[in-house]
Amino acid sequence: SDLGDHIVKITPAGVLSFFAGGGNGTADGLGLAAKFNSPDGLAVDNNDNIYVADNNNGLIRKITPGGLVSTFAGNLSERGATDGQGASATFMNPAGIAIDGSGNIYVGDVGDNLIRKITPEGMVTTIAGNGTKGSTNGNAL
């Protein structure tokens, strides 16, 4: 769960602690040394890595079980809907995020009105939407 620009861990007993993110920013790093800018959605893969849709930074971030935060996909200096590998891909306000059993990550790229897929190797592709807001049914692209 997130609280402000922090990723918060809640134990089964209800004890709350800051797991990652020491406030607003974009820094990768360990635990509270890392920074986020409005983390929105998060999902956990089969290896207990946490993936975070870092909304206002336009990034997808990865947090290892030990708390090391790194940028997995997206480019801080550019926003948009460019498909590509890792930092060559761009997002515009990623929000919802889910992971399938094969480790593929699915992102609701709200600012671009698209659904994006990221492979475990970091390749980003657009799988649904045409960039226009709406609710029309039809082919994925």
Side-chain angles (χ1 to χ4, degrees):
S1 172
D2 65 21
L3 181 64
D5 292 316
H6 307 281
I7 305 301
V8 176
K9 179 179 180 179
I10 304 170
T11 68
V15 177
L16 204 117
S17 64
F18 290 113
F19 182 64
N24 186 280
T26 58
D28 288 340
L30 186 61
L32 300 181
K35 301 206 181 297
F36 295 90
N37 189 349
S38 296
D40 201 323
L42 34 103
V44 180
D45 72 9
N46 292 333
N47 296 315
D48 293 329
N49 295 300
I50 302 168
Y51 291 86
V52 180
D54 195 357
N55 189 290
N56 286 345
N57 283 329
L59 302 172
I60 304 303
R61 313 287 290 284
K62 177 181 178 179
I63 309 172
T64 66
L68 182 62
V69 177
S70 61
T71 299
F72 188 69
N75 186 323
L76 183 62
S77 63
E78 190 176 335
R79 302 297 168 89
T82 303
D83 289 342
Q85 181 70 38
S88 66
T90 58
F91 296 89
M92 180 72 72
N93 302 108
I97 191 167
I99 300 175
D100 68 18
S102 299
N104 294 300
I105 302 166
Y106 299 89
V107 178
D109 193 353
V110 175
D112 289 317
N113 298 301
L114 301 172
I115 303 298
R116 316 287 293 285
K117 176 183 176 182
I118 310 170
T119 66
E121 298 77 33
M123 178 57 72
V124 178
T125 56
T126 299
I127 62 167
N130 63 12
T132 303
K133 186 176 182 178
S135 60
T136 304
N137 293 329
N139 293 332
L141 296 173

